[in-house]
Amino acid sequence: GDSVTQTEGPVTVSESESLIINCTYSATSIAYPNLFWYVRYPGEGLQLLLKVITAGQKGSSRGFEATYNKETTSFHLQKASVQESDSAVYYCALGRRNYNQGKLIFGQGTKLSIKP
Amino acid sequence: NAGVIQTPRHKVTGKGQEATLWCEPISGHSAVFWYRQTIVQGLEFLTYFRNQAPIDDSGMPKERFSAQMPNQSHSTLKIQSTQPQDSAVYLCASSPRTGGALAEQFFGPGTRLTVL
């Protein structure tokens, strides 16, 4: 079936250091998946961080980037220099492009803590 | 824009009792999704509606769980004869369109259900 696997947390990074959270997916029943990163900041609801719908393209938001790599079935999240405000739980997700298939399949989430 | 509203935020039930969870999607959104989050299983899709019609309930447990969307302003998730394993955070999300290139889902704060 379809699934998403991401870096097992918790992950702790010092402020201003670089970050990578790995995400790989298996989309056996989805020919052209859409890929997403969602984030939950402390005390807030789950919200979209970035999305990419075309293989080979990169999405970016709030200093984060992720490239949709169809060959390696990966969608790693990266940031060159993290800030304390980036402390949150990050979820990688995939969805179908078909109009009638709107559900998202999430990874298990990665809790990120930034040391000041 | 109040975002997706979920009530109650917390619910405690005794084993065997019924629980009804409510969701008010963002005004004008045509799709409503229900997810369940537990530590063991992570974030799992349950069911979704588009224009109030049920589209995909592949994630719903076959027994005791049902969902409805009687009008465009609210959806309910009902769990009959609740069991301790139903304890979870139930998330509702809405989307202005399903599938396709703009399948961003906007999540509510969730309802934490505890079954004693």
Side-chain angles (χ1 to χ4, degrees):
Chain A
D2 304 325
S3 64
V4 176
T5 302
Q6 59 183 101
T7 299
E8 192 169 332
V11 172
T12 302
V13 178
S14 296
E15 196 167 21
S16 78
E17 290 191 347
S18 63
L19 167 74
I20 181 166
I21 299 176
N22 291 326
C23 171
T24 56
Y25 66 89
S26 171
T28 56
S29 64
I30 306 174
Y32 302 100
N34 298 334
L35 296 174
F36 307 82
W37 278 99
Y38 278 79
V39 59
R40 178 184 282 138
Y41 297 104
E44 299 185 17
L46 198 60
Q47 58 186 275
L48 180 67
L49 178 61
L50 58 85
K51 64 178 184 287
V52 179
I53 63 170
T54 304
Q57 299 212 344
K58 179 168 66 178
S60 60
S61 175
R62 306 179 202 178
F64 288 89
E65 296 181 336
T67 299
Y68 182 161
N69 189 320
K70 190 175 180 182
E71 285 68 40
T72 59
T73 63
S74 65
F75 191 55
H76 306 320
L77 183 68
Q78 301 183 73
K79 189 172 187 181
S81 176
V82 297
Q83 304 170 344
E84 202 170 343
S85 58
D86 294 326
S87 294
V89 182
Y90 294 82
Y91 296 88
C92 184
L94 70 90
R96 290 174 178 269
R97 195 165 297 178
N98 182 289
Y99 182 71
N100 287 326
Q101 300 294 327
K103 72 180 182 184
L104 293 176
I105 297 168
F106 286 90
Q108 73 272 32
T110 302
K111 183 175 182 180
L112 173 66
S113 297
I114 306 299
K115 284 192 302 185
Chain B
N1 188 341
V4 174
I5 298 171
Q6 291 189 248
T7 55
R9 294 292 307 276
H10 303 273
K11 186 171 182 66
V12 179
T13 66
K15 182 178 175 180
Q17 293 184 329
E18 182 177 287
T20 300
L21 312 181
W22 292 70
C23 171
E24 181 179 329
I26 293 172
S27 178
H29 281 193
S30 60
V32 170
F33 302 81
W34 285 96
Y35 295 86
R36 176 171 65 179
Q37 184 167 29
T38 62
I39 292 175
V40 174
Q41 297 295 331
L43 252 170
E44 300 176 287
F45 167 79
L46 294 176
T47 186
Y48 98 92
F49 299 84
R50 175 163 51 86
N51 296 323
Q52 300 172 232
I55 301 297
D56 181 357
D57 66 353
S58 59
M60 290 280 273
K62 298 307 177 191
E63 298 179 351
R64 304 186 295 106
F65 282 66
S66 62
Q68 293 183 326
M69 192 163 183
N71 57 59
Q72 63 184 6
S73 64
H74 88 273
S75 174
T76 58
L77 179 68
K78 183 181 293 185
I79 309 171
Q80 295 179 313
S81 185
T82 54
Q83 303 297 311
Q85 61 265 30
D86 300 332
S87 297
V89 176
Y90 290 83
L91 294 171
C92 177
S94 69
S95 178
R97 67 189 72 173
T98 59
L102 296 176
E104 177 175 352
Q105 297 180 19
F106 296 79
F107 284 80
T111 294
R112 180 176 296 277
L113 175 67
T114 302
V115 182
L116 301 177

Short mmCIF file of all heavy atoms in Angstrom, two decimals, chain A residues 17-46:
data_model
loop_
_atom_site.label_atom_id
_atom_site.label_comp_id
_atom_site.label_asym_id
_atom_site.label_seq_id
_atom_site.Cartn_x
_atom_site.Cartn_y
_atom_site.Cartn_z
N GLU A 17 22.13 26.25 13.19
CA GLU A 17 22.66 25.09 12.48
C GLU A 17 21.69 24.67 11.38
O GLU A 17 20.54 25.09 11.33
CB GLU A 17 22.92 23.93 13.44
CG GLU A 17 24.09 24.17 14.37
CD GLU A 17 24.51 22.92 15.12
OE1 GLU A 17 23.74 21.94 15.10
OE2 GLU A 17 25.58 22.95 15.74
N SER A 18 22.18 23.78 10.51
CA SER A 18 21.35 23.30 9.41
C SER A 18 20.53 22.09 9.86
O SER A 18 20.84 21.43 10.86
CB SER A 18 22.21 22.91 8.21
OG SER A 18 23.07 21.84 8.56
N LEU A 19 19.47 21.85 9.10
CA LEU A 19 18.53 20.78 9.44
C LEU A 19 18.13 20.01 8.20
O LEU A 19 17.95 20.59 7.12
CB LEU A 19 17.26 21.38 10.06
CG LEU A 19 16.04 20.45 10.19
CD1 LEU A 19 16.26 19.48 11.33
CD2 LEU A 19 14.77 21.27 10.40
N ILE A 20 18.01 18.69 8.36
CA ILE A 20 17.36 17.88 7.34
C ILE A 20 16.49 16.85 8.04
O ILE A 20 16.94 16.18 8.97
CB ILE A 20 18.37 17.22 6.37
CG1 ILE A 20 17.62 16.39 5.31
CG2 ILE A 20 19.35 16.34 7.12
CD1 ILE A 20 18.49 15.99 4.13
N ILE A 21 15.26 16.77 7.63
CA ILE A 21 14.33 15.73 8.09
C ILE A 21 14.01 14.88 6.87
O ILE A 21 13.48 15.38 5.88
CB ILE A 21 13.04 16.32 8.69
CG1 ILE A 21 13.36 17.19 9.90
CG2 ILE A 21 12.09 15.19 9.09
CD1 ILE A 21 12.14 17.88 10.50
N ASN A 22 14.38 13.62 6.94
CA ASN A 22 14.18 12.75 5.80
C ASN A 22 12.74 12.27 5.67
O ASN A 22 12.05 12.04 6.67
CB ASN A 22 15.09 11.51 5.91
CG ASN A 22 16.55 11.86 5.75
OD1 ASN A 22 16.89 12.77 5.00
ND2 ASN A 22 17.41 11.16 6.46
N CYS A 23 12.31 12.14 4.43
CA CYS A 23 10.97 11.62 4.13
C CYS A 23 11.07 10.78 2.87
O CYS A 23 11.55 11.26 1.84
CB CYS A 23 9.98 12.75 3.93
SG CYS A 23 8.36 12.19 3.31
N THR A 24 10.65 9.54 2.96
CA THR A 24 10.55 8.71 1.77
C THR A 24 9.13 8.17 1.69
O THR A 24 8.46 8.00 2.70
CB THR A 24 11.54 7.53 1.78
OG1 THR A 24 11.32 6.76 2.98
CG2 THR A 24 12.97 8.02 1.76
N TYR A 25 8.69 7.93 0.48
CA TYR A 25 7.30 7.50 0.32
C TYR A 25 7.23 6.27 -0.59
O TYR A 25 8.13 6.01 -1.39
CB TYR A 25 6.44 8.63 -0.25
CG TYR A 25 6.80 9.05 -1.66
CD1 TYR A 25 6.22 8.43 -2.76
CD2 TYR A 25 7.74 10.04 -1.89
CE1 TYR A 25 6.57 8.79 -4.05
CE2 TYR A 25 8.10 10.41 -3.17
CZ TYR A 25 7.51 9.79 -4.24
OH TYR A 25 7.87 10.15 -5.52
N SER A 26 6.15 5.56 -0.43
CA SER A 26 5.82 4.45 -1.31
C SER A 26 4.43 4.74 -1.84
O SER A 26 3.47 4.89 -1.07
CB SER A 26 5.82 3.12 -0.55
OG SER A 26 5.30 2.09 -1.36
N ALA A 27 4.33 4.89 -3.16
CA ALA A 27 3.04 5.24 -3.77
C ALA A 27 2.69 4.21 -4.82
O ALA A 27 2.61 4.52 -6.00
CB ALA A 27 3.10 6.65 -4.36
N THR A 28 2.47 3.00 -4.39
CA THR A 28 2.23 1.91 -5.33
C THR A 28 0.93 2.07 -6.10
O THR A 28 0.80 1.59 -7.22
CB THR A 28 2.21 0.57 -4.59
OG1 THR A 28 1.23 0.64 -3.55
CG2 THR A 28 3.57 0.26 -3.99
N SER A 29 -0.03 2.77 -5.51
CA SER A 29 -1.32 2.93 -6.19
C SER A 29 -1.57 4.36 -6.66
O SER A 29 -2.66 4.70 -7.09
CB SER A 29 -2.46 2.49 -5.26
OG SER A 29 -2.52 3.34 -4.13
N ILE A 30 -0.54 5.19 -6.57
CA ILE A 30 -0.68 6.58 -6.99
C ILE A 30 0.39 6.88 -8.03
O ILE A 30 1.57 6.85 -7.75
CB ILE A 30 -0.51 7.55 -5.80
CG1 ILE A 30 -1.46 7.19 -4.65
CG2 ILE A 30 -0.74 8.98 -6.25
CD1 ILE A 30 -1.23 8.01 -3.40
N ALA A 31 -0.04 7.17 -9.25
CA ALA A 31 0.93 7.38 -10.32
C ALA A 31 1.67 8.70 -10.16
O ALA A 31 2.87 8.77 -10.35
CB ALA A 31 0.22 7.34 -11.67
N TYR A 32 0.96 9.73 -9.77
CA TYR A 32 1.55 11.07 -9.67
C TYR A 32 1.13 11.70 -8.35
O TYR A 32 0.22 12.52 -8.30
CB TYR A 32 1.11 11.94 -10.84
CG TYR A 32 1.48 11.36 -12.19
CD1 TYR A 32 0.53 10.68 -12.95
CD2 TYR A 32 2.78 11.46 -12.67
CE1 TYR A 32 0.87 10.15 -14.18
CE2 TYR A 32 3.13 10.93 -13.89
CZ TYR A 32 2.16 10.26 -14.65
OH TYR A 32 2.51 9.73 -15.86
N PRO A 33 1.80 11.31 -7.26
CA PRO A 33 1.38 11.85 -5.97
C PRO A 33 1.73 13.32 -5.80
O PRO A 33 2.69 13.82 -6.39
CB PRO A 33 2.17 10.99 -4.97
CG PRO A 33 3.36 10.51 -5.71
CD PRO A 33 2.92 10.35 -7.13
N ASN A 34 0.93 14.00 -5.02
CA ASN A 34 1.27 15.32 -4.52
C ASN A 34 1.99 15.11 -3.19
O ASN A 34 1.64 14.21 -2.42
CB ASN A 34 0.01 16.15 -4.27
CG ASN A 34 -0.79 16.40 -5.52
OD1 ASN A 34 -0.26 16.40 -6.63
ND2 ASN A 34 -2.08 16.62 -5.36
N LEU A 35 2.99 15.92 -2.90
CA LEU A 35 3.75 15.77 -1.66
C LEU A 35 3.67 17.04 -0.83
O LEU A 35 3.69 18.15 -1.39
CB LEU A 35 5.21 15.42 -1.97
CG LEU A 35 5.40 14.07 -2.66
CD1 LEU A 35 6.86 13.88 -3.05
CD2 LEU A 35 4.95 12.92 -1.77
N PHE A 36 3.56 16.84 0.48
CA PHE A 36 3.33 17.95 1.38
C PHE A 36 4.21 17.82 2.63
O PHE A 36 4.58 16.72 3.04
CB PHE A 36 1.87 17.95 1.89
CG PHE A 36 0.82 17.92 0.81
CD1 PHE A 36 0.45 16.72 0.22
CD2 PHE A 36 0.20 19.09 0.40
CE1 PHE A 36 -0.53 16.69 -0.77
CE2 PHE A 36 -0.78 19.06 -0.58
CZ PHE A 36 -1.13 17.87 -1.16
N TRP A 37 4.51 18.96 3.22
CA TRP A 37 4.99 19.03 4.59
C TRP A 37 4.00 19.87 5.37
O TRP A 37 3.69 21.00 4.99
CB TRP A 37 6.38 19.64 4.68
CG TRP A 37 7.48 18.67 4.39
CD1 TRP A 37 8.17 18.50 3.24
CD2 TRP A 37 8.02 17.70 5.31
NE1 TRP A 37 9.09 17.50 3.36
CE2 TRP A 37 9.02 16.98 4.61
CE3 TRP A 37 7.76 17.36 6.64
CZ2 TRP A 37 9.77 15.96 5.21
CZ3 TRP A 37 8.48 16.35 7.23
CH2 TRP A 37 9.48 15.66 6.52
N TYR A 38 3.49 19.27 6.46
CA TYR A 38 2.64 19.98 7.39
C TYR A 38 3.42 20.16 8.70
O TYR A 38 4.33 19.39 9.01
CB TYR A 38 1.35 19.20 7.67
CG TYR A 38 0.26 19.39 6.63
CD1 TYR A 38 0.30 18.71 5.42
CD2 TYR A 38 -0.80 20.26 6.86
CE1 TYR A 38 -0.69 18.88 4.46
CE2 TYR A 38 -1.80 20.44 5.92
CZ TYR A 38 -1.74 19.75 4.72
OH TYR A 38 -2.72 19.93 3.77
N VAL A 39 3.01 21.17 9.48
CA VAL A 39 3.71 21.47 10.72
C VAL A 39 2.71 21.81 11.81
O VAL A 39 1.65 22.40 11.54
CB VAL A 39 4.72 22.63 10.53
CG1 VAL A 39 4.03 23.91 10.05
CG2 VAL A 39 5.52 22.89 11.80
N ARG A 40 3.02 21.37 13.00
CA ARG A 40 2.20 21.75 14.16
C ARG A 40 3.10 22.44 15.16
O ARG A 40 3.96 21.79 15.79
CB ARG A 40 1.53 20.54 14.80
CG ARG A 40 0.72 20.90 16.05
CD ARG A 40 0.14 19.68 16.71
NE ARG A 40 -1.04 19.19 16.01
CZ ARG A 40 -1.30 17.91 15.77
NH1 ARG A 40 -0.46 16.98 16.19
NH2 ARG A 40 -2.39 17.54 15.15
N TYR A 41 2.92 23.76 15.30
CA TYR A 41 3.65 24.52 16.31
C TYR A 41 2.99 24.31 17.67
O TYR A 41 1.80 24.00 17.74
CB TYR A 41 3.69 26.00 15.95
CG TYR A 41 4.42 26.27 14.66
CD1 TYR A 41 3.75 26.57 13.48
CD2 TYR A 41 5.82 26.23 14.62
CE1 TYR A 41 4.42 26.82 12.30
CE2 TYR A 41 6.50 26.48 13.44
CZ TYR A 41 5.80 26.75 12.28
OH TYR A 41 6.48 26.99 11.11
N PRO A 42 3.73 24.48 18.74
CA PRO A 42 3.15 24.27 20.09
C PRO A 42 1.89 25.10 20.28
O PRO A 42 1.88 26.31 20.01
CB PRO A 42 4.28 24.73 21.02
CG PRO A 42 5.53 24.53 20.23
CD PRO A 42 5.17 24.81 18.81
N GLY A 43 0.83 24.45 20.70
CA GLY A 43 -0.42 25.15 20.97
C GLY A 43 -1.24 25.50 19.75
O GLY A 43 -2.29 26.15 19.87
N GLU A 44 -0.81 25.09 18.58
CA GLU A 44 -1.54 25.43 17.36
C GLU A 44 -1.98 24.16 16.63
O GLU A 44 -1.57 23.06 16.94
CB GLU A 44 -0.66 26.28 16.44
CG GLU A 44 -0.24 27.60 17.07
CD GLU A 44 0.54 28.47 16.09
OE1 GLU A 44 0.47 28.22 14.86
OE2 GLU A 44 1.21 29.41 16.55
N GLY A 45 -2.84 24.36 15.63
CA GLY A 45 -3.30 23.25 14.82
C GLY A 45 -2.33 22.92 13.70
O GLY A 45 -1.43 23.70 13.37
N LEU A 46 -2.56 21.78 13.08
CA LEU A 46 -1.74 21.35 11.95
C LEU A 46 -1.94 22.30 10.78
O LEU A 46 -3.07 22.64 10.43
CB LEU A 46 -2.19 19.94 11.57
CG LEU A 46 -1.28 19.08 10.73
CD1 LEU A 46 0.05 18.84 11.42
CD2 LEU A 46 -1.96 17.74 10.44
#
